[in-house]
Amino acid sequence: MAAETLGCACVSFSLNPFGIGVVAEGRAADAARHLGKMLSDAIWGDEFHRFRALHRLPPVASVADYQYSKQLNLLAVSPALLPEHADFEPQHRVTGFWHAPEAAAWTPAEPLSAFLNAPGGSAPVVFTFGSMGGRAAEMSALVVAAVARVGCRA
C-alpha cells in the first residue's frame, strides 16, 4: 500500500503460491480464482479494508486482487515443487527457496534467558500466527485460554 500511496512500482514475494493469478480459461481455473479470493477475503478482508479506509485509500473488490504486485511477484518456492508454467500471470516468477546466511552466535537478553531456563519449569510452548491476519484479539484470547487450560508455559 505504500507503493500505491507514493505512486510507484513495487515487488512482492510469497512463500506460498496459493492464490497467484493464472491466465487459464475454463471452469477449473475460474473455481481456483474464486476459492483464492474467498480465502483471502475471509482471512484478511475486514482488517485490510479497515486499514485502507483509515489511510484514505480507495476500496478494492478483493484482497486477492491486491496482495501480489502487478509488476513482479517472486515466489520463494523450489521449481521442483512448483515449476513455472504458461498459466501463470506474467509477473509471477519462481525463484527457488531463499536461504538466509548462517546466523552469528546470539545470546538472549537476561529476562528471556531466565524464562527459558526457569528451574523445574517445563519447556515453553511457542505460538506463531503466520499469515493469520484480522483476528488478533480473538486469536490471542484463544491462545491464553488454551495455555491456562493445559497449564503450560508460553
Side-chain angles (χ1 to χ4, degrees):
M1 288 183 237
E4 178 183 9
T5 301
L6 296 171
C8 61
C10 72
V11 173
S12 59
F13 74 93
S14 177
L15 303 174
N16 179 350
F18 185 77
I20 65 168
V22 294
V23 294
E25 298 296 327
R27 292 175 64 187
D30 290 343
R33 277 191 287 273
H34 183 68
L35 179 60
K37 286 182 180 188
M38 283 177 35
L39 287 173
S40 294
D41 288 340
I43 294 169
W44 300 292
D46 292 343
E47 290 295 323
F48 179 82
H49 296 298
R50 268 196 292 278
F51 185 85
R52 289 187 66 80
L54 177 68
H55 294 281
R56 296 182 177 89
L57 294 169
V60 295
S62 172
V63 174
D65 292 337
Y66 191 84
Q67 69 192 59
Y68 301 116
S69 170
K70 299 299 182 199
Q71 291 83 35
L72 179 61
N73 179 51
L74 304 174
L75 292 157
V77 176
S78 169
L81 297 173
L82 181 75
E84 283 191 33
H85 53 83
D87 288 343
F88 284 178
E89 291 176 339
Q91 73 271 22
H92 300 293
R93 297 285 183 258
V94 176
T95 64
F97 293 123
W98 300 352
H99 301 279
E102 194 161 323
W106 175 76
T107 303
E110 179 52 38
L112 176 58
S113 186
F115 172 74
L116 294 173
N117 299 313
S122 60
V125 176
V126 176
F127 293 88
T128 64
F129 296 104
S131 298
M132 293 186 60
R135 296 185 177 100
E138 177 185 344
M139 295 305 294
S140 296
L142 182 64
V143 166
V144 168
V147 167
R149 185 173 181 179
V150 299
C152 66
R153 296 179 335 123

